[in-house]
Amino acid sequence: MNAIARLRAWLPTLTLGFVVLFTVAYFILSHEGLYALDDYFYSRYAHQLLHGRFQLGPDPQGLLHDPLHERWLIFGPVALCYALFGVNIWSTTLWPLLATLLCSVLIWARYRRLQPVVACGAMLLLGLHYFALNLSNYLYPDNINMLACFAAALALLVGRQRGQRAVRWGAGFALLNFAALLCKETIVYYAPFYLGLLGLDALRRQHGRFWLAAFATGAAVLVGYLAFYQLQTNDALYRVHLIENTNEFLKEGNYLLGNRAALWARLTLGPVQFLVGTGLGLAVLLAAGAAFRPAEAGPASAPDDRRFWLGLAFSTLAFYWFGSTSVTQYNPITLLPRMATPLLPPLCLAAGYGLADVLRTGRRTLLYAALLLACAAYDRGSAAILYAGWAVLMGALWLAPRLRRLKPNSPAYVALGLLGLALVLALRPAHFMRKPSVSGHFPQHRIIRQHLGGPQPGVVFVDDYLTGNYDFYYGYEVPAGLQFRRYWARDSVQLRPPQQAWLLLNRATLSNPELTRKLLRYSPDSVLSWYPHRQLVAQDGPVELYQIRQLR
């Protein structure tokens, strides 16, 4: 086996190992605990499911009328994690971490032998993408949904190829799409591509067994799903109506009412700014380049799946660009990084083909460098550093053959391209791994468990953020007699012996700009001024616990 063959044989596995280790390191070093109401609700549903208190239908008082309640594949596995490891932040977010890692594992399993350089590039672009890493340590549905969507697309790809067990893959395709539906409704963004392939296969009279198996399995699952809702809610389309009611409730902030002035920008340059600002500009450029395979790359190796991933990537992107979150009103999806996770696997795989073309031929490097510098000038933010770094990498790939140092497609040339890509991608997550915590979750957890976990009755005054999720710190089993109240309630609380009062002050939370802009309208100093008769009991990093000697 020659050098290039040995490199291609081992490089995908080494790349996967690096992505796994880096992701786990990011998960541990940058974890911030619960992020907002969504992950708290999913966690609470998981605990209820584990202990048999989860309500299948809507609550009679209307307390459970939210779309999160119907996303079983988000909190169901978390309930299993709770059964195995107890209720804590690690078991709460283990499922999103595994889903994130499994996306790279699927790329490795499919392409490590068929297209090793494509596999390496795609794993790096997906596994080291900052926002995919960021979503790995929160109990949000997006990376879990990304896994289900990607697995369904792979089943479609493999099941339509000759020599495969079409019936099994067709059934798997339907079940994986149903799994994605149990995660989040954005699986519908793949629908235009699915329908396009179905129409093409119908015209060519191909893959009939695959599609028949998919339709039969999908119909059976869907009938059972609708029957379940009819039994539980007297409305077979309850989930659809729930989503529409949510859109109706939030319509004052959508693009057609409260934000109509921004609609034109949202449909024109908004997605461009979004893609560049999130650091996806390189993936888009490489994917676009993959559509024009250089003649110097030689005959396409078998199988070359670039057309499949290009079609899925850009049809999904078009849906994000112009599609609607509602069937009754036109309202494009908000351009937030976590909303775009289903786009990432096909886009990164298509970009992997574009990168493989560059490393095989050494062509287009100057063009990519110029376009990346344009992205850096356009962004002028933190992502500009990434684009400048990738432009330097492309310049080095152009210069190396001309200095007769490295030849395209040589082991050293391929290693230079992949290593440079990885180093630049790692800059942003490495920066956040070194930053101090903005939540103080772990010090706060230690103080609560050490000093506020006993049977002593009393009142704990906390900020408006913690008052909504303090029971998570007790595994949803708060000691009897212990109450948590907002800072503002100090004048309405009357203590009776033997009750005590404590003040829990988290300086990290009170200085978090994401919270102080809307929710927390006070500073640590102002809070302390409201409780002059206090005594410091414990301090752990930015978190302080005081005993209140007198409320008034």
Side-chain angles (χ1 to χ4, degrees):
M1 183 182 292
N2 59 31
I4 188 66
R6 288 195 299 270
L7 176 70
R8 292 177 186 274
W10 283 101
L11 202 52
T13 301
L14 294 175
T15 302
L16 176 65
F18 171 72
V19 168
V20 170
L21 290 175
F22 192 88
T23 302
V24 172
Y26 180 88
F27 177 78
I28 294 173
L29 297 176
S30 65
H31 212 301
E32 295 286 0
L34 296 178
Y35 179 71
L37 285 178
D38 285 19
D39 49 2
Y40 170 72
F41 282 160
Y42 290 128
S43 171
R44 190 175 63 182
Y45 292 152
H47 184 265
Q48 292 172 351
L49 186 64
L50 176 63
H51 293 279
R53 297 196 293 266
F54 183 77
Q55 300 186 43
L56 296 177
D59 186 82
Q61 298 180 352
L63 299 179
L64 300 183
H65 282 273
D66 67 86
L68 312 185
H69 184 259
E70 312 307 322
R71 296 173 177 174
W72 284 70
L73 206 59
I74 305 303
F75 55 83
V78 177
L80 176 61
C81 292
Y82 285 170
L84 295 174
F85 308 114
V87 180
N88 56 70
I89 197 58
W90 304 115
S91 59
T92 299
T93 51
L94 179 61
W95 176 219
L97 172 66
L98 291 177
T100 306
L101 295 174
L102 283 173
C103 288
S104 294
V105 171
L106 287 179
I107 296 174
W108 173 84
R110 170 65 182 173
Y111 291 106
R112 73 183 187 276
R113 294 191 180 95
L114 301 176
Q115 296 280 359
V117 178
V118 172
C120 294
M123 284 189 288
L124 291 174
L125 287 167
L126 176 61
L128 300 186
H129 178 56
Y130 167 70
F131 292 102
L133 286 168
N134 179 255
L135 288 166
S136 69
N137 53 15
Y138 296 113
L139 184 54
Y140 267 54
D142 306 284
N143 282 14
I144 304 169
N145 182 55
M146 175 174 68
L147 171 64
C149 292
F150 181 33
L154 270 176
L156 175 62
L157 170 68
V158 176
R160 292 174 67 254
Q161 294 178 346
R162 291 181 180 180
Q164 300 297 331
R165 298 176 178 178
V167 173
R168 293 186 181 182
W169 282 106
F173 171 67
L175 292 174
L176 287 167
N177 277 290
F178 180 68
L181 182 64
L182 294 181
C183 294
K184 197 175 180 181
E185 300 77 16
T186 45
I187 182 59
V188 73
Y189 287 9
Y190 281 15
F193 181 73
Y194 290 167
L195 294 174
L197 275 187
L198 174 61
L200 187 63
D201 285 349
L203 287 175
R204 295 175 176 177
R205 296 184 179 181
Q206 294 178 333
H207 312 301
R209 296 178 63 200
F210 173 88
W211 288 110
L212 284 175
F215 274 111
T217 305
V221 171
L222 186 60
V223 167
Y225 191 57
L226 296 179
F228 168 81
Y229 276 111
Q230 181 65 38
L231 179 65
Q232 295 294 327
T233 68
N234 295 319
D235 180 8
L237 299 178
Y238 170 77
R239 190 172 178 188
V240 175
H241 296 152
L242 181 61
I243 295 169
E244 291 302 326
N245 290 338
T246 303
N247 279 319
E248 181 68 20
F249 178 76
L250 299 174
K251 67 181 181 181
E252 291 186 0
N254 71 21
Y255 284 100
L256 295 184
L257 288 179
N259 203 20
R260 181 178 295 182
L263 180 61
W264 175 250
R266 167 62 182 82
L267 297 178
T268 53
L269 290 179
V272 176
Q273 295 169 343
F274 167 75
L275 292 169
V276 173
T278 53
L280 289 173
L282 174 65
V284 173
L285 291 175
L286 289 173
F292 306 96
R293 193 170 186 271
E296 295 86 346
S301 56
D304 190 311
D305 301 329
R306 72 176 69 207
R307 293 175 63 187
F308 180 90
W309 297 117
L310 278 167
L312 180 55
F314 285 103
S315 63
T316 305
L317 180 59
F319 204 111
Y320 273 96
W321 208 305
F322 303 109
S324 173
T325 62
S326 169
V327 297
T328 60
Q329 52 183 308
Y330 182 67
N331 184 39
I333 195 169
T334 304
L335 292 177
L336 294 174
R338 69 183 188 87
M339 299 296 183
T341 49
L343 172 66
L344 295 181
L347 179 64
C348 292
L349 272 165
Y353 278 97
L355 179 64
D357 290 342
V358 171
L359 298 180
R360 188 178 297 117
T361 66
R363 301 294 298 273
R364 299 176 182 165
T365 49
L366 278 185
L367 174 61
Y368 284 131
L371 293 173
L372 289 167
L373 287 175
C375 288
Y378 182 76
D379 179 74
R380 297 182 181 179
S382 58
I385 300 174
L386 305 181
Y387 292 116
W390 288 321
V392 171
L393 171 64
M394 290 296 175
L397 292 175
W398 174 84
L399 189 61
R402 285 153 182 82
L403 295 178
R404 297 182 180 180
R405 299 292 184 184
L406 303 174
K407 292 182 179 180
N409 206 35
S410 67
Y413 192 81
V414 172
L416 171 64
L418 293 176
L419 182 61
L421 174 66
L423 289 176
V424 178
L425 279 167
L427 287 176
R428 183 183 275 182
H431 168 70
F432 283 94
M433 289 163 66
R434 296 178 63 253
K435 287 187 66 176
S437 172
V438 298
S439 70
H441 169 83
F442 295 101
Q444 183 165 268
H445 179 264
R446 288 191 292 267
I447 281 187
I448 288 177
R449 300 297 292 189
Q450 293 172 8
H451 299 277
L452 299 172
Q456 69 273 27
V459 178
V460 185
F461 293 97
V462 297
D463 57 71
D464 289 67
Y465 178 72
L466 183 58
T467 194
N469 59 33
Y470 64 87
D471 53 347
F472 173 80
Y473 291 85
Y474 295 95
Y476 299 100
E477 302 294 337
V478 182
L482 195 62
Q483 303 176 42
F484 281 74
R485 303 291 299 274
R486 291 179 172 86
Y487 295 143
W488 304 107
R490 63 192 183 279
D491 293 329
S492 61
V493 173
Q494 293 184 352
L495 298 177
R496 297 183 178 86
Q499 286 184 319
Q500 301 181 56
W502 295 272
L503 169 67
L504 185 62
L505 187 73
N506 188 333
R507 293 181 180 271
T509 298
L510 297 185
S511 60
N512 184 346
E514 292 190 7
L515 296 176
T516 54
R517 280 195 298 265
K518 294 181 179 180
L519 181 63
L520 305 179
R521 301 291 187 178
Y522 36 77
S523 66
D525 291 338
S526 62
V527 172
L528 291 176
S529 69
W530 299 337
Y531 298 89
H533 306 289
R534 65 184 185 274
Q535 180 179 358
L536 183 65
V537 174
Q539 181 174 3
D540 190 338
V543 184
E544 302 163 6
L545 178 67
Y546 296 89
Q547 185 170 8
I548 308 302
R549 296 194 299 268
Q550 182 180 344
L551 284 177
R552 298 180 184 177

